Amino acid sequence: MKKIDAVMKIFYLDELLTELFKDLYEKGLTNIYETFDCLKDLKKCAYVFLDPDVYGDDLSVHLTYVFEIGFAYDEFVDETVAKQPDMNEEMDSEDIIELCMSLADVECERYNIHGEWKEMGVDFKIADNKLIVDLIGELVGKDVSKTLHNYSSYQILDDDLREDLKAKLSETS
């Protein structure tokens, strides 16, 4: 997978999560989304590949309507690759593992915040989804739900997760 493709998948995932929380905004429950502050860190996973000089702080302005209008998506990708040609390079296994580890940290926090609310008797189905897990699975080419569950519930440590992701990635290579 090219770096630009991974970045766009993360931005799209961020868009999906924002859309899922939209009903809460409309009901005046923005503080619920604020509780899931970790989801704001999702974009940071994509920023790892982006040179800050390319879009700077106003990247979100450039992402407006990118996923709603086909030509806007293509223009954004073309402009990004033109400004930062290395985004067109294939990710190596280390890039993939580091990206997956960052995504796993976001998922771990999301999982635990969701669990805390559930223990208090409030189950936000909206926040109980597998979008991040599925993306990590796509990046390594294998189902990672069990491993990520173990990581999120502190049954395994960072090193164990990293080794598991490496093993899964090497199985698909």
Side-chain angles (χ1 to χ4, degrees):
M1 182 181 299
K2 292 181 179 180
K3 291 177 184 178
I4 186 67
D5 296 330
V7 164
M8 296 311 289
K9 284 178 186 294
I10 293 168
F11 287 147
Y12 182 61
L13 181 57
D14 181 67
E15 179 95 354
L16 288 176
L17 286 165
T18 303
E19 189 66 25
L20 283 172
F21 276 92
K22 190 171 75 176
D23 289 345
L24 295 177
Y25 280 113
E26 290 168 1
K27 292 176 184 170
L29 298 173
T30 51
N31 58 326
I32 302 301
Y33 181 74
E34 298 301 319
T35 305
F36 287 90
D37 204 40
C38 54
L39 298 177
K40 293 177 184 168
D41 291 336
L42 195 59
K43 272 191 181 146
K44 290 180 187 170
C45 297
Y47 293 159
V48 169
F49 292 117
L50 282 174
D51 182 333
D53 295 334
V54 172
Y55 292 106
D57 294 335
D58 62 347
L59 178 61
S60 56
V61 172
H62 294 274
L63 287 168
T64 307
Y65 301 116
V66 162
F67 298 105
E68 288 84 20
I69 307 169
F71 72 84
Y73 181 95
D74 294 338
E75 283 178 5
F76 180 82
V77 167
D78 291 345
E79 183 182 350
T80 304
V81 171
K83 289 180 176 181
Q84 194 178 341
D86 68 309
M87 291 294 285
N88 215 20
E89 294 173 4
E90 291 289 324
M91 290 193 302
D92 61 24
S93 58
E94 278 305 308
D95 285 336
I96 294 170
I97 296 298
E98 290 311 312
L99 179 56
C100 289
M101 291 299 292
S102 296
L103 289 167
D105 287 339
V106 175
E107 171 57 17
C108 176
E109 198 172 337
R110 183 213 61 79
Y111 172 89
N112 285 298
I113 292 169
H114 179 262
E116 287 169 19
W117 278 97
K118 200 169 182 176
E119 283 176 16
M120 293 186 288
V122 184
D123 190 8
F124 294 109
K125 293 293 180 198
I126 215 162
D128 186 15
N129 61 67
K130 292 179 48 182
L131 290 171
I132 299 173
V133 176
D134 289 345
L135 177 57
I136 295 172
E138 185 180 340
L139 288 166
V140 296
K142 294 274 184 188
D143 179 39
V144 293
S145 54
K146 185 172 192 245
T147 309
L148 281 173
H149 176 269
N150 291 342
Y151 180 68
S152 297
S153 16
Y154 306 111
Q155 296 173 43
I156 63 172
L157 302 173
D158 284 19
D159 292 342
D160 302 317
L161 176 61
R162 187 179 298 277
E163 288 307 311
D164 187 76
L165 293 173
K166 280 182 186 176
K168 283 179 172 41
L169 190 59
S170 66
E171 289 171 18
T172 60
S173 301

